[in-house]
PDB file of all heavy atoms in Angstrom:
ATOM      1  N   LYS A   1       0.854  -1.180   0.000  1.00  0.00           N
ATOM      2  CA  LYS A   1       0.000   0.000   0.000  1.00  0.00           C
ATOM      3  C   LYS A   1       0.891   1.232   0.000  1.00  0.00           C
ATOM      4  O   LYS A   1       1.575   1.509   0.991  1.00  0.00           O
ATOM      5  CB  LYS A   1      -0.908   0.006   1.229  1.00  0.00           C
ATOM      6  CG  LYS A   1      -2.049  -0.994   1.170  1.00  0.00           C
ATOM      7  CD  LYS A   1      -2.981  -0.860   2.361  1.00  0.00           C
ATOM      8  CE  LYS A   1      -3.722   0.463   2.324  1.00  0.00           C
ATOM      9  NZ  LYS A   1      -4.758   0.541   3.397  1.00  0.00           N
ATOM     10  N   SER A   2       0.890   1.970  -1.101  1.00  0.00           N
ATOM     11  CA  SER A   2       1.685   3.194  -1.172  1.00  0.00           C
ATOM     12  C   SER A   2       0.842   4.429  -0.887  1.00  0.00           C
ATOM     13  O   SER A   2       1.379   5.532  -0.733  1.00  0.00           O
ATOM     14  CB  SER A   2       2.349   3.323  -2.545  1.00  0.00           C
ATOM     15  OG  SER A   2       1.385   3.286  -3.574  1.00  0.00           O
ATOM     16  N   SER A   3      -0.471   4.269  -0.836  1.00  0.00           N
ATOM     17  CA  SER A   3      -1.371   5.354  -0.464  1.00  0.00           C
ATOM     18  C   SER A   3      -2.624   4.729   0.159  1.00  0.00           C
ATOM     19  O   SER A   3      -2.864   3.527   0.012  1.00  0.00           O
ATOM     20  CB  SER A   3      -1.730   6.206  -1.689  1.00  0.00           C
ATOM     21  OG  SER A   3      -2.406   5.437  -2.668  1.00  0.00           O
ATOM     22  N   PRO A   4      -3.426   5.528   0.861  1.00  0.00           N
ATOM     23  CA  PRO A   4      -4.594   4.957   1.575  1.00  0.00           C
ATOM     24  C   PRO A   4      -5.593   4.292   0.628  1.00  0.00           C
ATOM     25  O   PRO A   4      -5.738   4.670  -0.522  1.00  0.00           O
ATOM     26  CB  PRO A   4      -5.215   6.185   2.247  1.00  0.00           C
ATOM     27  CG  PRO A   4      -4.117   7.188   2.341  1.00  0.00           C
ATOM     28  CD  PRO A   4      -3.250   6.963   1.134  1.00  0.00           C
ATOM     29  N   ARG A   5      -6.263   3.270   1.166  1.00  0.00           N
ATOM     30  CA  ARG A   5      -7.379   2.586   0.490  1.00  0.00           C
ATOM     31  C   ARG A   5      -6.972   1.899  -0.803  1.00  0.00           C
ATOM     32  O   ARG A   5      -7.766   1.795  -1.739  1.00  0.00           O
ATOM     33  CB  ARG A   5      -8.546   3.578   0.252  1.00  0.00           C
ATOM     34  CG  ARG A   5      -9.167   4.112   1.548  1.00  0.00           C
ATOM     35  CD  ARG A   5     -10.165   5.218   1.308  1.00  0.00           C
ATOM     36  NE  ARG A   5      -9.554   6.414   0.728  1.00  0.00           N
ATOM     37  CZ  ARG A   5      -8.868   7.307   1.427  1.00  0.00           C
ATOM     38  NH1 ARG A   5      -8.688   7.147   2.730  1.00  0.00           N
ATOM     39  NH2 ARG A   5      -8.360   8.360   0.828  1.00  0.00           N
ATOM     40  N   GLU A   6      -5.747   1.429  -0.861  1.00  0.00           N
ATOM     41  CA  GLU A   6      -5.268   0.652  -2.006  1.00  0.00           C
ATOM     42  C   GLU A   6      -5.289  -0.838  -1.671  1.00  0.00           C
ATOM     43  O   GLU A   6      -5.123  -1.225  -0.509  1.00  0.00           O
ATOM     44  CB  GLU A   6      -3.825   1.038  -2.378  1.00  0.00           C
ATOM     45  CG  GLU A   6      -3.713   2.310  -3.179  1.00  0.00           C
ATOM     46  CD  GLU A   6      -2.299   2.521  -3.690  1.00  0.00           C
ATOM     47  OE1 GLU A   6      -1.368   1.894  -3.138  1.00  0.00           O
ATOM     48  OE2 GLU A   6      -2.123   3.304  -4.626  1.00  0.00           O
ATOM     49  N   PRO A   7      -5.485  -1.701  -2.671  1.00  0.00           N
ATOM     50  CA  PRO A   7      -5.409  -3.151  -2.423  1.00  0.00           C
ATOM     51  C   PRO A   7      -3.968  -3.642  -2.464  1.00  0.00           C
ATOM     52  O   PRO A   7      -3.075  -2.954  -2.983  1.00  0.00           O
ATOM     53  CB  PRO A   7      -6.198  -3.732  -3.603  1.00  0.00           C
ATOM     54  CG  PRO A   7      -5.894  -2.772  -4.720  1.00  0.00           C
ATOM     55  CD  PRO A   7      -5.817  -1.407  -4.079  1.00  0.00           C
ATOM     56  N   ILE A   8      -3.737  -4.803  -1.910  1.00  0.00           N
ATOM     57  CA  ILE A   8      -2.458  -5.498  -2.095  1.00  0.00           C
ATOM     58  C   ILE A   8      -2.785  -6.731  -2.935  1.00  0.00           C
ATOM     59  O   ILE A   8      -2.976  -7.840  -2.437  1.00  0.00           O
ATOM     60  CB  ILE A   8      -1.803  -5.862  -0.751  1.00  0.00           C
ATOM     61  CG1 ILE A   8      -1.633  -4.609   0.110  1.00  0.00           C
ATOM     62  CG2 ILE A   8      -0.443  -6.529  -0.979  1.00  0.00           C
ATOM     63  CD1 ILE A   8      -1.012  -4.864   1.471  1.00  0.00           C
ATOM     64  N   THR A   9      -2.879  -6.523  -4.231  1.00  0.00           N
ATOM     65  CA  THR A   9      -3.433  -7.536  -5.125  1.00  0.00           C
ATOM     66  C   THR A   9      -2.503  -8.725  -5.297  1.00  0.00           C
ATOM     67  O   THR A   9      -2.965  -9.845  -5.559  1.00  0.00           O
ATOM     68  CB  THR A   9      -3.761  -6.909  -6.494  1.00  0.00           C
ATOM     69  OG1 THR A   9      -4.383  -5.640  -6.289  1.00  0.00           O
ATOM     70  CG2 THR A   9      -4.707  -7.795  -7.282  1.00  0.00           C
ATOM     71  N   ALA A  10      -1.194  -8.515  -5.147  1.00  0.00           N
ATOM     72  CA  ALA A  10      -0.264  -9.642  -5.228  1.00  0.00           C
ATOM     73  C   ALA A  10      -0.552 -10.664  -4.135  1.00  0.00           C
ATOM     74  O   ALA A  10      -0.419 -11.875  -4.348  1.00  0.00           O
ATOM     75  CB  ALA A  10       1.181  -9.149  -5.129  1.00  0.00           C
ATOM     76  N   LYS A  11      -0.959 -10.195  -2.967  1.00  0.00           N
ATOM     77  CA  LYS A  11      -1.348 -11.083  -1.873  1.00  0.00           C
ATOM     78  C   LYS A  11      -2.669 -11.780  -2.188  1.00  0.00           C
ATOM     79  O   LYS A  11      -2.846 -12.969  -1.907  1.00  0.00           O
ATOM     80  CB  LYS A  11      -1.453 -10.274  -0.577  1.00  0.00           C
ATOM     81  CG  LYS A  11      -2.122 -10.997   0.591  1.00  0.00           C
ATOM     82  CD  LYS A  11      -1.374 -12.243   1.029  1.00  0.00           C
ATOM     83  CE  LYS A  11      -2.019 -12.832   2.272  1.00  0.00           C
ATOM     84  NZ  LYS A  11      -1.477 -14.166   2.599  1.00  0.00           N
ATOM     85  N   LEU A  12      -3.605 -11.042  -2.776  1.00  0.00           N
ATOM     86  CA  LEU A  12      -4.884 -11.637  -3.166  1.00  0.00           C
ATOM     87  C   LEU A  12      -4.666 -12.782  -4.156  1.00  0.00           C
ATOM     88  O   LEU A  12      -5.281 -13.848  -4.029  1.00  0.00           O
ATOM     89  CB  LEU A  12      -5.793 -10.570  -3.786  1.00  0.00           C
ATOM     90  CG  LEU A  12      -7.103 -11.059  -4.411  1.00  0.00           C
ATOM     91  CD1 LEU A  12      -7.991 -11.718  -3.367  1.00  0.00           C
ATOM     92  CD2 LEU A  12      -7.822  -9.909  -5.092  1.00  0.00           C
ATOM     93  N   VAL A  13      -3.791 -12.588  -5.131  1.00  0.00           N
ATOM     94  CA  VAL A  13      -3.505 -13.644  -6.108  1.00  0.00           C
ATOM     95  C   VAL A  13      -2.891 -14.855  -5.413  1.00  0.00           C
ATOM     96  O   VAL A  13      -3.219 -16.003  -5.723  1.00  0.00           O
ATOM     97  CB  VAL A  13      -2.566 -13.115  -7.212  1.00  0.00           C
ATOM     98  CG1 VAL A  13      -2.083 -14.257  -8.116  1.00  0.00           C
ATOM     99  CG2 VAL A  13      -3.278 -12.065  -8.052  1.00  0.00           C
ATOM    100  N   ALA A  14      -1.998 -14.616  -4.457  1.00  0.00           N
ATOM    101  CA  ALA A  14      -1.409 -15.720  -3.700  1.00  0.00           C
ATOM    102  C   ALA A  14      -2.491 -16.516  -2.968  1.00  0.00           C
ATOM    103  O   ALA A  14      -2.482 -17.753  -2.954  1.00  0.00           O
ATOM    104  CB  ALA A  14      -0.374 -15.189  -2.702  1.00  0.00           C
ATOM    105  N   ASN A  15      -3.454 -15.808  -2.365  1.00  0.00           N
ATOM    106  CA  ASN A  15      -4.556 -16.483  -1.676  1.00  0.00           C
ATOM    107  C   ASN A  15      -5.395 -17.302  -2.653  1.00  0.00           C
ATOM    108  O   ASN A  15      -5.826 -18.424  -2.344  1.00  0.00           O
ATOM    109  CB  ASN A  15      -5.441 -15.453  -0.976  1.00  0.00           C
ATOM    110  CG  ASN A  15      -4.775 -14.828   0.233  1.00  0.00           C
ATOM    111  OD1 ASN A  15      -3.792 -15.340   0.743  1.00  0.00           O
ATOM    112  ND2 ASN A  15      -5.310 -13.709   0.683  1.00  0.00           N
ATOM    113  N   LEU A  16      -5.669 -16.733  -3.824  1.00  0.00           N
ATOM    114  CA  LEU A  16      -6.482 -17.423  -4.815  1.00  0.00           C
ATOM    115  C   LEU A  16      -5.814 -18.722  -5.270  1.00  0.00           C
ATOM    116  O   LEU A  16      -6.463 -19.770  -5.376  1.00  0.00           O
ATOM    117  CB  LEU A  16      -6.721 -16.512  -6.019  1.00  0.00           C
ATOM    118  CG  LEU A  16      -7.664 -15.323  -5.803  1.00  0.00           C
ATOM    119  CD1 LEU A  16      -7.607 -14.385  -7.008  1.00  0.00           C
ATOM    120  CD2 LEU A  16      -9.087 -15.792  -5.560  1.00  0.00           C
ATOM    121  N   LEU A  17      -4.514 -18.665  -5.554  1.00  0.00           N
ATOM    122  CA  LEU A  17      -3.788 -19.851  -6.012  1.00  0.00           C
ATOM    123  C   LEU A  17      -3.786 -20.934  -4.935  1.00  0.00           C
ATOM    124  O   LEU A  17      -3.987 -22.124  -5.220  1.00  0.00           O
ATOM    125  CB  LEU A  17      -2.355 -19.484  -6.394  1.00  0.00           C
ATOM    126  CG  LEU A  17      -2.190 -18.618  -7.647  1.00  0.00           C
ATOM    127  CD1 LEU A  17      -0.754 -18.119  -7.764  1.00  0.00           C
ATOM    128  CD2 LEU A  17      -2.576 -19.394  -8.903  1.00  0.00           C
ATOM    129  N   THR A  18      -3.571 -20.526  -3.696  1.00  0.00           N
ATOM    130  CA  THR A  18      -3.527 -21.489  -2.588  1.00  0.00           C
ATOM    131  C   THR A  18      -4.893 -22.105  -2.339  1.00  0.00           C
ATOM    132  O   THR A  18      -5.033 -23.327  -2.184  1.00  0.00           O
ATOM    133  CB  THR A  18      -3.007 -20.811  -1.312  1.00  0.00           C
ATOM    134  OG1 THR A  18      -1.739 -20.192  -1.575  1.00  0.00           O
ATOM    135  CG2 THR A  18      -2.843 -21.818  -0.191  1.00  0.00           C
ATOM    136  N   THR A  19      -5.921 -21.275  -2.316  1.00  0.00           N
ATOM    137  CA  THR A  19      -7.281 -21.764  -2.069  1.00  0.00           C
ATOM    138  C   THR A  19      -7.754 -22.683  -3.190  1.00  0.00           C
ATOM    139  O   THR A  19      -8.458 -23.675  -2.953  1.00  0.00           O
ATOM    140  CB  THR A  19      -8.247 -20.582  -1.904  1.00  0.00           C
ATOM    141  OG1 THR A  19      -7.799 -19.760  -0.824  1.00  0.00           O
ATOM    142  CG2 THR A  19      -9.656 -21.064  -1.622  1.00  0.00           C
ATOM    143  N   ALA A  20      -7.349 -22.378  -4.417  1.00  0.00           N
ATOM    144  CA  ALA A  20      -7.739 -23.220  -5.553  1.00  0.00           C
ATOM    145  C   ALA A  20      -7.176 -24.627  -5.430  1.00  0.00           C
ATOM    146  O   ALA A  20      -7.770 -25.585  -5.929  1.00  0.00           O
ATOM    147  CB  ALA A  20      -7.282 -22.586  -6.863  1.00  0.00           C
ATOM    148  N   GLY A  21      -5.992 -24.752  -4.772  1.00  0.00           N
ATOM    149  CA  GLY A  21      -5.440 -26.089  -4.559  1.00  0.00           C
ATOM    150  C   GLY A  21      -3.991 -26.270  -4.947  1.00  0.00           C
ATOM    151  O   GLY A  21      -3.487 -27.403  -4.941  1.00  0.00           O
ATOM    152  N   ALA A  22      -3.279 -25.193  -5.274  1.00  0.00           N
ATOM    153  CA  ALA A  22      -1.861 -25.318  -5.619  1.00  0.00           C
ATOM    154  C   ALA A  22      -1.063 -25.762  -4.393  1.00  0.00           C
ATOM    155  O   ALA A  22      -1.297 -25.281  -3.282  1.00  0.00           O
ATOM    156  CB  ALA A  22      -1.321 -23.992  -6.144  1.00  0.00           C
ATOM    157  N   ASN A  23      -0.129 -26.689  -4.604  1.00  0.00           N
ATOM    158  CA  ASN A  23       0.746 -27.156  -3.522  1.00  0.00           C
ATOM    159  C   ASN A  23       2.116 -26.484  -3.536  1.00  0.00           C
ATOM    160  O   ASN A  23       2.835 -26.486  -2.530  1.00  0.00           O
ATOM    161  CB  ASN A  23       0.959 -28.664  -3.629  1.00  0.00           C
ATOM    162  CG  ASN A  23      -0.328 -29.440  -3.553  1.00  0.00           C
ATOM    163  OD1 ASN A  23      -0.761 -30.067  -4.524  1.00  0.00           O
ATOM    164  ND2 ASN A  23      -0.995 -29.399  -2.393  1.00  0.00           N
ATOM    165  N   ARG A  24       2.492 -25.928  -4.672  1.00  0.00           N
ATOM    166  CA  ARG A  24       3.794 -25.278  -4.817  1.00  0.00           C
ATOM    167  C   ARG A  24       3.709 -24.283  -5.972  1.00  0.00           C
ATOM    168  O   ARG A  24       2.993 -24.512  -6.954  1.00  0.00           O
ATOM    169  CB  ARG A  24       4.892 -26.305  -5.095  1.00  0.00           C
ATOM    170  CG  ARG A  24       6.271 -25.704  -5.389  1.00  0.00           C
ATOM    171  CD  ARG A  24       7.260 -26.788  -5.825  1.00  0.00           C
ATOM    172  NE  ARG A  24       7.481 -27.760  -4.776  1.00  0.00           N
ATOM    173  CZ  ARG A  24       8.418 -27.652  -3.839  1.00  0.00           C
ATOM    174  NH1 ARG A  24       9.226 -26.607  -3.833  1.00  0.00           N
ATOM    175  NH2 ARG A  24       8.547 -28.576  -2.925  1.00  0.00           N
ATOM    176  N   VAL A  25       4.446 -23.187  -5.845  1.00  0.00           N
ATOM    177  CA  VAL A  25       4.551 -22.204  -6.924  1.00  0.00           C
ATOM    178  C   VAL A  25       6.014 -22.056  -7.303  1.00  0.00           C
ATOM    179  O   VAL A  25       6.885 -21.937  -6.438  1.00  0.00           O
ATOM    180  CB  VAL A  25       3.966 -20.833  -6.499  1.00  0.00           C
ATOM    181  CG1 VAL A  25       4.346 -19.747  -7.497  1.00  0.00           C
ATOM    182  CG2 VAL A  25       2.459 -20.919  -6.367  1.00  0.00           C
ATOM    183  N   VAL A  26       6.275 -22.111  -8.606  1.00  0.00           N
ATOM    184  CA  VAL A  26       7.623 -21.860  -9.132  1.00  0.00           C
ATOM    185  C   VAL A  26       7.516 -20.637 -10.031  1.00  0.00           C
ATOM    186  O   VAL A  26       6.802 -20.656 -11.037  1.00  0.00           O
ATOM    187  CB  VAL A  26       8.156 -23.062  -9.944  1.00  0.00           C
ATOM    188  CG1 VAL A  26       9.592 -22.806 -10.393  1.00  0.00           C
ATOM    189  CG2 VAL A  26       8.075 -24.349  -9.130  1.00  0.00           C
ATOM    190  N   THR A  27       8.185 -19.577  -9.666  1.00  0.00           N
ATOM    191  CA  THR A  27       8.098 -18.346 -10.428  1.00  0.00           C
ATOM    192  C   THR A  27       9.494 -17.798 -10.683  1.00  0.00           C
ATOM    193  O   THR A  27      10.486 -18.379 -10.249  1.00  0.00           O
ATOM    194  CB  THR A  27       7.208 -17.318  -9.696  1.00  0.00           C
ATOM    195  OG1 THR A  27       6.979 -16.193 -10.537  1.00  0.00           O
ATOM    196  CG2 THR A  27       7.841 -16.873  -8.390  1.00  0.00           C
ATOM    197  N   MET A  28       9.574 -16.663 -11.382  1.00  0.00           N
ATOM    198  CA  MET A  28      10.877 -16.119 -11.758  1.00  0.00           C
ATOM    199  C   MET A  28      10.872 -14.600 -11.644  1.00  0.00           C
ATOM    200  O   MET A  28       9.961 -13.937 -12.134  1.00  0.00           O
ATOM    201  CB  MET A  28      11.229 -16.534 -13.194  1.00  0.00           C
ATOM    202  CG  MET A  28      12.621 -16.099 -13.635  1.00  0.00           C
ATOM    203  SD  MET A  28      12.998 -16.611 -15.335  1.00  0.00           S
ATOM    204  CE  MET A  28      12.088 -15.363 -16.245  1.00  0.00           C
ATOM    205  N   ASP A  29      11.886 -14.077 -10.997  1.00  0.00           N
ATOM    206  CA  ASP A  29      12.128 -12.635 -10.913  1.00  0.00           C
ATOM    207  C   ASP A  29      10.864 -11.847 -10.576  1.00  0.00           C
ATOM    208  O   ASP A  29      10.358 -11.053 -11.372  1.00  0.00           O
ATOM    209  CB  ASP A  29      12.748 -12.122 -12.222  1.00  0.00           C
ATOM    210  CG  ASP A  29      14.196 -12.569 -12.371  1.00  0.00           C
ATOM    211  OD1 ASP A  29      14.852 -12.804 -11.339  1.00  0.00           O
ATOM    212  OD2 ASP A  29      14.669 -12.698 -13.501  1.00  0.00           O
ATOM    213  N   LEU A  30      10.381 -12.082  -9.363  1.00  0.00           N
ATOM    214  CA  LEU A  30       9.241 -11.325  -8.863  1.00  0.00           C
ATOM    215  C   LEU A  30       9.581  -9.841  -8.782  1.00  0.00           C
ATOM    216  O   LEU A  30      10.741  -9.474  -8.544  1.00  0.00           O
ATOM    217  CB  LEU A  30       8.842 -11.829  -7.477  1.00  0.00           C
ATOM    218  CG  LEU A  30       8.224 -13.221  -7.415  1.00  0.00           C
ATOM    219  CD1 LEU A  30       8.189 -13.710  -5.971  1.00  0.00           C
ATOM    220  CD2 LEU A  30       6.825 -13.216  -8.021  1.00  0.00           C
ATOM    221  N   HIS A  31       8.599  -9.000  -8.974  1.00  0.00           N
ATOM    222  CA  HIS A  31       8.814  -7.557  -8.886  1.00  0.00           C
ATOM    223  C   HIS A  31       9.323  -7.175  -7.500  1.00  0.00           C
ATOM    224  O   HIS A  31      10.090  -6.210  -7.368  1.00  0.00           O
ATOM    225  CB  HIS A  31       7.520  -6.825  -9.214  1.00  0.00           C
ATOM    226  CG  HIS A  31       7.663  -5.343  -9.258  1.00  0.00           C
ATOM    227  ND1 HIS A  31       8.414  -4.699 -10.214  1.00  0.00           N
ATOM    228  CD2 HIS A  31       7.150  -4.361  -8.465  1.00  0.00           C
ATOM    229  CE1 HIS A  31       8.368  -3.392 -10.016  1.00  0.00           C
ATOM    230  NE2 HIS A  31       7.602  -3.161  -8.954  1.00  0.00           N
ATOM    231  N   ALA A  32       8.898  -7.905  -6.488  1.00  0.00           N
ATOM    232  CA  ALA A  32       9.354  -7.678  -5.116  1.00  0.00           C
ATOM    233  C   ALA A  32       9.531  -9.036  -4.439  1.00  0.00           C
ATOM    234  O   ALA A  32       8.610  -9.854  -4.449  1.00  0.00           O
ATOM    235  CB  ALA A  32       8.350  -6.821  -4.352  1.00  0.00           C
ATOM    236  N   ASP A  33      10.697  -9.256  -3.847  1.00  0.00           N
ATOM    237  CA  ASP A  33      10.999 -10.554  -3.251  1.00  0.00           C
ATOM    238  C   ASP A  33      10.019 -10.944  -2.152  1.00  0.00           C
ATOM    239  O   ASP A  33       9.771 -12.128  -1.920  1.00  0.00           O
ATOM    240  CB  ASP A  33      12.420 -10.554  -2.681  1.00  0.00           C
ATOM    241  CG  ASP A  33      13.488 -10.563  -3.765  1.00  0.00           C
ATOM    242  OD1 ASP A  33      13.132 -10.783  -4.944  1.00  0.00           O
ATOM    243  OD2 ASP A  33      14.670 -10.349  -3.440  1.00  0.00           O
ATOM    244  N   GLN A  34       9.467  -9.937  -1.457  1.00  0.00           N
ATOM    245  CA  GLN A  34       8.603 -10.255  -0.316  1.00  0.00           C
ATOM    246  C   GLN A  34       7.304 -10.938  -0.714  1.00  0.00           C
ATOM    247  O   GLN A  34       6.586 -11.461   0.147  1.00  0.00           O
ATOM    248  CB  GLN A  34       8.283  -8.990   0.486  1.00  0.00           C
ATOM    249  CG  GLN A  34       7.460  -7.945  -0.237  1.00  0.00           C
ATOM    250  CD  GLN A  34       8.313  -6.855  -0.863  1.00  0.00           C
ATOM    251  OE1 GLN A  34       9.469  -7.092  -1.199  1.00  0.00           O
ATOM    252  NE2 GLN A  34       7.749  -5.670  -1.021  1.00  0.00           N
ATOM    253  N   ILE A  35       6.994 -10.967  -2.004  1.00  0.00           N
ATOM    254  CA  ILE A  35       5.781 -11.668  -2.456  1.00  0.00           C
ATOM    255  C   ILE A  35       5.855 -13.144  -2.079  1.00  0.00           C
ATOM    256  O   ILE A  35       4.824 -13.785  -1.849  1.00  0.00           O
ATOM    257  CB  ILE A  35       5.594 -11.486  -3.975  1.00  0.00           C
ATOM    258  CG1 ILE A  35       5.269 -10.015  -4.281  1.00  0.00           C
ATOM    259  CG2 ILE A  35       4.479 -12.383  -4.515  1.00  0.00           C
ATOM    260  CD1 ILE A  35       5.195  -9.691  -5.762  1.00  0.00           C
ATOM    261  N   GLN A  36       7.060 -13.703  -1.973  1.00  0.00           N
ATOM    262  CA  GLN A  36       7.194 -15.097  -1.543  1.00  0.00           C
ATOM    263  C   GLN A  36       6.529 -15.313  -0.184  1.00  0.00           C
ATOM    264  O   GLN A  36       5.984 -16.385   0.075  1.00  0.00           O
ATOM    265  CB  GLN A  36       8.673 -15.473  -1.439  1.00  0.00           C
ATOM    266  CG  GLN A  36       9.433 -15.392  -2.752  1.00  0.00           C
ATOM    267  CD  GLN A  36      10.920 -15.575  -2.559  1.00  0.00           C
ATOM    268  OE1 GLN A  36      11.416 -16.692  -2.398  1.00  0.00           O
ATOM    269  NE2 GLN A  36      11.656 -14.484  -2.563  1.00  0.00           N
ATOM    270  N   GLY A  37       6.581 -14.303   0.662  1.00  0.00           N
ATOM    271  CA  GLY A  37       5.995 -14.406   1.998  1.00  0.00           C
ATOM    272  C   GLY A  37       4.490 -14.311   2.016  1.00  0.00           C
ATOM    273  O   GLY A  37       3.866 -14.532   3.061  1.00  0.00           O
ATOM    274  N   PHE A  38       3.891 -13.992   0.869  1.00  0.00           N
ATOM    275  CA  PHE A  38       2.432 -13.943   0.794  1.00  0.00           C
ATOM    276  C   PHE A  38       1.830 -15.349   0.732  1.00  0.00           C
ATOM    277  O   PHE A  38       0.616 -15.506   0.885  1.00  0.00           O
ATOM    278  CB  PHE A  38       1.982 -13.167  -0.447  1.00  0.00           C
ATOM    279  CG  PHE A  38       2.307 -11.692  -0.415  1.00  0.00           C
ATOM    280  CD1 PHE A  38       2.129 -10.909  -1.544  1.00  0.00           C
ATOM    281  CD2 PHE A  38       2.783 -11.085   0.739  1.00  0.00           C
ATOM    282  CE1 PHE A  38       2.422  -9.550  -1.526  1.00  0.00           C
ATOM    283  CE2 PHE A  38       3.083  -9.734   0.767  1.00  0.00           C
ATOM    284  CZ  PHE A  38       2.904  -8.966  -0.372  1.00  0.00           C
ATOM    285  N   PHE A  39       2.655 -16.345   0.482  1.00  0.00           N
ATOM    286  CA  PHE A  39       2.189 -17.719   0.323  1.00  0.00           C
ATOM    287  C   PHE A  39       2.439 -18.523   1.593  1.00  0.00           C
ATOM    288  O   PHE A  39       3.449 -18.323   2.282  1.00  0.00           O
ATOM    289  CB  PHE A  39       2.920 -18.409  -0.828  1.00  0.00           C
ATOM    290  CG  PHE A  39       2.533 -17.934  -2.202  1.00  0.00           C
ATOM    291  CD1 PHE A  39       3.185 -16.857  -2.787  1.00  0.00           C
ATOM    292  CD2 PHE A  39       1.534 -18.568  -2.919  1.00  0.00           C
ATOM    293  CE1 PHE A  39       2.844 -16.419  -4.055  1.00  0.00           C
ATOM    294  CE2 PHE A  39       1.186 -18.145  -4.190  1.00  0.00           C
ATOM    295  CZ  PHE A  39       1.840 -17.068  -4.756  1.00  0.00           C
ATOM    296  N   ASP A  40       1.538 -19.457   1.871  1.00  0.00           N
ATOM    297  CA  ASP A  40       1.738 -20.424   2.948  1.00  0.00           C
ATOM    298  C   ASP A  40       2.087 -21.797   2.386  1.00  0.00           C
ATOM    299  O   ASP A  40       1.985 -22.809   3.096  1.00  0.00           O
ATOM    300  CB  ASP A  40       0.477 -20.518   3.824  1.00  0.00           C
ATOM    301  CG  ASP A  40       0.240 -19.239   4.605  1.00  0.00           C
ATOM    302  OD1 ASP A  40       1.238 -18.614   5.031  1.00  0.00           O
ATOM    303  OD2 ASP A  40      -0.929 -18.847   4.775  1.00  0.00           O
ATOM    304  N   ILE A  41       2.471 -21.841   1.116  1.00  0.00           N
ATOM    305  CA  ILE A  41       2.951 -23.058   0.456  1.00  0.00           C
ATOM    306  C   ILE A  41       4.361 -22.767  -0.067  1.00  0.00           C
ATOM    307  O   ILE A  41       4.755 -21.601  -0.164  1.00  0.00           O
ATOM    308  CB  ILE A  41       2.016 -23.487  -0.699  1.00  0.00           C
ATOM    309  CG1 ILE A  41       1.880 -22.360  -1.728  1.00  0.00           C
ATOM    310  CG2 ILE A  41       0.657 -23.908  -0.170  1.00  0.00           C
ATOM    311  CD1 ILE A  41       1.062 -22.736  -2.960  1.00  0.00           C
ATOM    312  N   PRO A  42       5.143 -23.797  -0.400  1.00  0.00           N
ATOM    313  CA  PRO A  42       6.503 -23.540  -0.884  1.00  0.00           C
ATOM    314  C   PRO A  42       6.513 -22.714  -2.169  1.00  0.00           C
ATOM    315  O   PRO A  42       5.679 -22.905  -3.060  1.00  0.00           O
ATOM    316  CB  PRO A  42       7.052 -24.952  -1.144  1.00  0.00           C
ATOM    317  CG  PRO A  42       6.241 -25.844  -0.268  1.00  0.00           C
ATOM    318  CD  PRO A  42       4.879 -25.243  -0.219  1.00  0.00           C
ATOM    319  N   VAL A  43       7.454 -21.776  -2.247  1.00  0.00           N
ATOM    320  CA  VAL A  43       7.660 -20.962  -3.440  1.00  0.00           C
ATOM    321  C   VAL A  43       9.134 -21.058  -3.848  1.00  0.00           C
ATOM    322  O   VAL A  43      10.021 -20.773  -3.039  1.00  0.00           O
ATOM    323  CB  VAL A  43       7.298 -19.482  -3.190  1.00  0.00           C
ATOM    324  CG1 VAL A  43       7.615 -18.638  -4.424  1.00  0.00           C
ATOM    325  CG2 VAL A  43       5.836 -19.334  -2.809  1.00  0.00           C
ATOM    326  N   ASP A  44       9.373 -21.488  -5.068  1.00  0.00           N
ATOM    327  CA  ASP A  44      10.725 -21.501  -5.618  1.00  0.00           C
ATOM    328  C   ASP A  44      10.862 -20.291  -6.527  1.00  0.00           C
ATOM    329  O   ASP A  44      10.163 -20.172  -7.534  1.00  0.00           O
ATOM    330  CB  ASP A  44      10.987 -22.789  -6.405  1.00  0.00           C
ATOM    331  CG  ASP A  44      11.085 -23.996  -5.493  1.00  0.00           C
ATOM    332  OD1 ASP A  44      11.918 -23.972  -4.575  1.00  0.00           O
ATOM    333  OD2 ASP A  44      10.316 -24.961  -5.684  1.00  0.00           O
TER     334      ASP A  44
END
């Protein structure tokens, strides 16, 4: 959130993938490294 009342959509996408049933995510060069922490499943 860089200003008030903004979403953190990268976290929302992480929730959607996990809830849908993904067991692991393998991605490359995230815009921000901390996005890995948005997941409660392994991220490579």
